[in-house]
């Protein structure tokens, strides 16, 4: 909560659709906001999923203007949380930027941040949600990030996307390497988080078991969020914060809900720890 510092920037990105990136951004944002930090969420996905989770259907002053120029409006959505909504036309931006031969095409967001330093420094966290790709907008987000969080579900499509994400980050670092000063301009680290790990009766499903084995041997994993209906519901019709749900007496009466709350807090804390190590210096 230091006014002089740039916020910690995290980007949820994995080139596979529907793996839980958007829910992660919302849950982690609420976790930090509840601790008193000021959190800005940027929706960079033209699907506008994060934006719609907050029932916002705004087409003016959206994240599209980060690239096209013009005003942007961080809308207060909850205590300590502001959202910069996405615009469906974000999908045409990578092609437009290429067609125009834009210079330093991976640092447009970084330039914008420096041009709006005062606004940006009023936040402690900047959390960016991306489209499931490794294209220019996602790379702009990674270029300013302390860490990328690849959210992985127990599906083949999802685990196959891990090396793709890894390669895209390496490519970005290579393409932007500062040869004159012999240093990386992009310092983002890749972390992974499992979600939706499922048990049928007493036993984990085959794919969940496989993902758990991967989690235990790959240090980039911060842990996993088990499958929970209550969690899924928080992102469907009701759209009520999972943390609000997990505060309710009636819900906490059920032991399995208490256990889930603990597991969720453990994963969030593990992310905090990994980020702390990266930002310590
Ligand atoms: N631990 C969990 N328990 C139950 N449901 C979960 C869990 N983790 C994720 N989900 C559900 O999985 C779905 C995946 O979310 P979503 O499709 O928004 O992911 P995404 O990665 O953001 O997708 P996209 O790639 O299209 O942006 C959500 O409906 C969410 O509720
Ligand atoms: Mg999403």
């Amino acid at each position: 909560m230091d006014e002089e510092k740039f916020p910690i920037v995290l980007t949820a990105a994995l080139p596979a659709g529907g793996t839980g990136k958007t829910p992660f951004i919302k849950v982690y944002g609420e976790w930090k906001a509840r601790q008193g930090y000021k959190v800005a969420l940027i929706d960079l996905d033209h699907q506008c999923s994060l934006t719609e989770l907050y029932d916002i259907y705004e087409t003016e002053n959206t994240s599209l203007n980060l690239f096209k120029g013009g005003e942007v409006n961080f809308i207060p959505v909850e205590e300590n949380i502001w959202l910069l909504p996405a615009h469906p036309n974000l999908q045409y931006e990578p092609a437009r930027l290429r067609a125009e031969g834009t210079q330093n095409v991976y640092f447009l967001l970084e330039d914008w941040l420096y041009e709006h330093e005062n606004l940006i420094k009023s936040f402690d966290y900047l959390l960016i949600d991306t489209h499931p790709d490794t294209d220019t907008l996602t790379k702009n987000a990674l270029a300013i990030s302390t860490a990328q969080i690849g959210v992985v579900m127990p599906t083949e499509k999802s685990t196959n996307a891990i090396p793709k994400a890894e390669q895209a980050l390496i490519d970005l670092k290579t393409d932007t390497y500062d040869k004159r000063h012999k240093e990386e301009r992009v310092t983002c680290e890749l972390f992974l988080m499992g979600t939706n790990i499922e048990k049928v009766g007493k036993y984990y499903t085959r794919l969940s078991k496989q993902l758990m084995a991967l989690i235990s041997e790959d240090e980039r994993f911060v842990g996993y969020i088990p499958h929970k209906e209550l969690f899924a519901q928080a992102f469907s019709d009701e759209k009520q914060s999972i943390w609000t749900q997990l505060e309710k007496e009636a819900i906490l009466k059920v032991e399995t809900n208490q256990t889930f709350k603990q597991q969720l807090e453990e994963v969030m804390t593990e992310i905090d720890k990994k980020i702390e190590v990266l930002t310590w210096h």
Side-chain angles (χ1 to χ4, degrees):
M1 283 168 265
D2 179 347
E3 303 245 322
E4 295 306 306
K5 278 193 352 202
F6 262 103
I8 290 170
V9 186
L10 301 186
T11 293
L14 190 80
T19 64
K21 296 176 287 296
T22 303
F24 164 74
I25 287 290
K26 188 165 186 280
V27 169
Y28 188 71
E30 289 166 355
W31 163 253
K32 297 318 292 182
R34 279 157 188 260
Q35 292 172 352
Y37 294 101
K38 305 225 174 304
V39 179
L41 307 178
I42 299 183
D43 190 354
L44 274 193
D45 183 359
H46 63 257
Q47 296 179 98
C48 307
S49 317
L50 181 64
T51 305
E52 289 174 7
L53 279 180
Y54 285 104
D55 281 329
I56 290 173
Y57 300 90
E58 194 54 66
T59 53
E60 300 285 321
N61 307 336
T62 65
S63 66
L64 183 61
N65 290 358
L66 297 170
F67 303 96
K68 290 195 99 137
E71 294 285 307
V72 303
N73 186 17
F74 282 84
I75 302 170
V77 286
E78 268 180 52
E79 196 179 349
N80 287 338
I81 307 184
W82 289 261
L83 169 78
L84 179 57
H87 190 289
N89 289 356
L90 280 164
Q91 71 176 302
Y92 307 119
E93 274 307 279
R96 184 188 70 84
L97 294 166
R98 266 194 297 276
E100 292 188 356
T102 308
Q103 294 287 304
N104 288 319
V105 74
Y106 299 133
F107 292 111
L108 304 173
L109 201 49
E110 184 177 271
D111 289 346
W112 188 92
L113 286 196
Y114 279 104
E115 282 162 19
H116 299 80
E117 205 169 324
N118 286 342
L119 167 69
I120 290 308
K121 283 181 173 171
S122 67
F123 302 118
D124 301 300
Y125 284 84
L126 209 61
L127 306 180
I128 309 177
D129 192 23
T130 63
H131 189 69
D133 62 30
T134 55
D135 213 338
T136 316
L137 303 194
T138 301
K139 284 185 170 159
N140 265 268
L142 298 177
I144 57 165
S145 294
T146 309
Q148 166 180 7
I149 316 281
V151 183
V152 182
M153 272 199 186
T155 62
E156 223 171 290
K157 181 179 73 170
S158 184
T159 45
N160 284 346
I162 298 173
K164 294 179 194 162
E166 194 178 325
Q167 189 58 49
L169 187 56
I170 292 170
D171 290 348
L172 176 64
K173 288 183 177 180
T174 310
D175 291 347
T176 58
Y177 186 77
D178 181 346
K179 294 191 191 85
R180 193 183 306 176
H181 300 100
K182 295 194 174 63
E183 63 184 19
E184 279 184 340
R185 280 194 68 185
V186 176
T187 54
C188 177
E189 289 253 356
L190 174 61
F191 293 142
L192 302 163
M193 185 194 79
T195 194
N196 215 22
I197 301 274
E198 206 169 356
K199 261 183 183 168
V200 176
K202 273 188 181 170
Y203 302 102
Y204 287 101
T205 61
R206 181 180 58 87
L207 288 167
S208 289
K209 243 199 236 161
Q210 280 174 7
L211 181 52
M212 283 186 5
L214 193 65
I215 291 172
S216 65
E217 69 196 27
D218 188 332
E219 284 193 349
R220 295 171 301 179
F221 272 96
V222 294
Y224 68 86
I225 304 174
H227 170 80
K228 187 80 184 162
E229 258 331 287
L230 199 66
F231 188 94
Q233 278 163 20
F235 302 98
S236 54
D237 320 334
E238 289 283 316
K239 296 182 194 165
Q240 203 181 38
S241 161
I242 184 69
W243 300 110
T244 307
Q245 305 273 27
L246 291 171
E247 274 164 6
K248 291 181 185 160
E249 219 175 289
I251 285 179
L252 286 179
K253 258 194 214 149
V254 182
E255 206 180 310
T256 51
N257 292 341
Q258 267 185 42
T259 311
F260 178 74
K261 187 181 181 185
Q262 270 170 19
Q263 288 168 315
L264 191 59
E265 286 176 348
E266 268 167 34
V267 181
M268 299 292 117
T269 306
E270 198 50 39
I271 296 171
D272 289 347
K273 280 191 204 156
K274 292 239 184 197
I275 302 301
E276 202 176 318
V277 172
L278 290 181
T279 52
W280 208 40
H281 304 288

